[in-house]
Amino acid sequence: MSTYNPYDDVLATITRAADILGLSENDYAGIKYPERELKVSFPVRMDDGSVHIFEGYRVQHSSSRGPCKGGIRYHQDVDLDEVKALAAWMTFKCAVVGIPYGGAKGAVKVDPSKLSHGELERLTRRYTAMILPLIGPERDIPAPDVNTNGEVMGWLMDPYSMMKGYAVPGVVTGKPLDIGGSVGRLEATGRGVMINVREFLKKRNETLAGKTVVVQGLGNVGGIAAKLIAGEGAKIIAVSDVSGSIAKPEGLDIEGILKHLSTRGSLLKTYNAEGLKRLSNEEMLCMEADVLVPAAMQNQITPGIAERINAKLIVEGANGPTTVEADKILESRGIQVVPDVLANAGGVIVSYFEWVQNIQSLTWDEENVNSHLNRIMINAIEAVYKMAEEKKIPFRTAAYAIALQRLVQAKHIRGIFP
Ligand code: GLU
């Protein structure tokens, strides 16, 4: 078996969407390649006085529809192909929901749980200095992703602002409220996932009340999605984090679990409650449920798992959790998948609102943020659903086709420089 390369999966998905649209290779060739790839190596002074060299990346996949946009992740396993795939997914995500951005992604190869708070701050500041020539509110705007958060965004905003000589909040999104963050941004990705679950069930004349839901991953996406989905009356029957999975057929106490996890360093394996069953990751993914929300990492639903999945609907909270081969198996088994580029777009949609507020020096209230998020998400869901029905194609292909059409059109209107 060949080794998994997420960028190959991106290309395969783009090609399938291009075939549906009847595009010739010439029309979309440019979209197959990232516009810019930056790899950096940089030193960080560790607490014990030693100097450690870290490797980082920033990939700008497309700026055809607007400034490049996308998060920064800290993870020990990242490589350039993963960042390229993540950057391309951002391009398609922004295009399918119709916000005026291209796509980018950044990463540092590091396990942040092994660093002290001070080391993490120095690493972030130096990484920011290394990618400084590429970023800016009008060219490329980072945001949180796996293992990064509002505090890290503050450490990104600061070097950029110091270099300019004045505060530039619009250079990053997902910031704390005190330095220009937006209300609703922290919950936005999870809220978007909940909206997708709710709306796609509605298409089947069903509601969330009483539904059984499995959520893989309890970070910013999975944790909030689980809470909001439970709030709509569904039963979260299994959840997981890096330390393991737990299940309870009557429904888990999500608030209690999130409270337990909120202490730094605390994991699911030390959470205890009556009637809990501990499972392997595979057992959890294959549980019988109405909805499965993979909200951890890419490459989780592989062909072997796809054969045994027992959920009726999959809503992708993570980026790239399902491989192309697994997708084909799910399609043949009639299991519908709401793709990442649609399902987890809530985060970047509210990042867009944050950036708009920063540029205009205004603040929106939560009602305004959430109602606009709801409207943009529902419009995108309707468009994807309609195309999937009309062309008898999976939601992923429909979402990519809509996005690709917009990208091709933007490139066509702008033409080729010079
Ligand atoms: N990291 C998030 C994502 O993958 C958010 C990106 C952003 O807000 O720019 O969609």
Side-chain angles (χ1 to χ4, degrees), residues 76-220:
Q76 59 277 16
D77 297 331
V78 288
D79 60 25
L80 187 57
D81 282 322
E82 178 180 331
V83 184
K84 279 166 65 179
L86 287 159
W89 285 324
M90 287 309 302
T91 300
F92 280 83
K93 193 182 297 186
C94 295
V96 74
V97 297
I99 56 174
Y101 285 140
K105 203 80 171 199
V108 178
K109 199 172 174 65
V110 60
D111 177 354
S113 70
K114 302 232 158 66
L115 297 192
S116 71
H117 193 251
E119 288 168 341
L120 201 62
E121 176 174 352
R122 293 195 291 281
L123 173 133
T124 304
R125 289 177 173 281
R126 183 58 193 254
Y127 166 71
T128 307
M130 300 306 287
I131 64 164
L132 214 62
L134 295 196
I135 61 174
E138 56 298 283
R139 58 173 67 151
D140 181 355
I141 308 125
D145 196 73
V146 174
N147 291 331
T148 57
N149 58 17
E151 186 176 39
V152 173
M153 295 307 112
W155 295 331
L156 265 130
M157 175 184 150
D158 190 58
Y160 186 86
S161 300
M162 293 313 289
M163 190 264 305
K164 286 281 178 191
Y166 49 88
V168 188
V171 66
V172 284
T173 58
K175 299 177 293 293
L177 295 184
D178 293 318
I179 53 168
S182 175
V183 287
R185 174 61 185 87
L186 192 65
E187 301 81 20
T189 315
R191 182 172 296 280
V193 170
M194 180 276 285
I195 295 171
N196 274 272
V197 175
R198 189 187 67 202
E199 296 301 314
F200 279 94
L201 285 176
K202 216 184 260 175
K203 297 286 180 204
R204 305 171 172 200
N205 292 321
E206 292 173 21
T207 68
L208 265 166
K211 289 285 178 305
T212 53
V213 181
V214 172
V215 180
Q216 183 200 32
L218 285 172
N220 180 250

Side-chain angles (χ1 to χ4, degrees), residues 11 32 53 75 95 113 122 128 153 163 174 184 198 216 223 270 297 311 346 382 400 404 415:
L11 294 179
K32 295 191 345 197
I53 308 294
H75 199 277
S113 70
R122 293 195 291 281
T128 307
M153 295 307 112
M163 190 264 305
R198 189 187 67 202
Q216 183 200 32
T270 56
M297 293 294 280
E382 291 302 325
Y400 271 69
L404 189 58

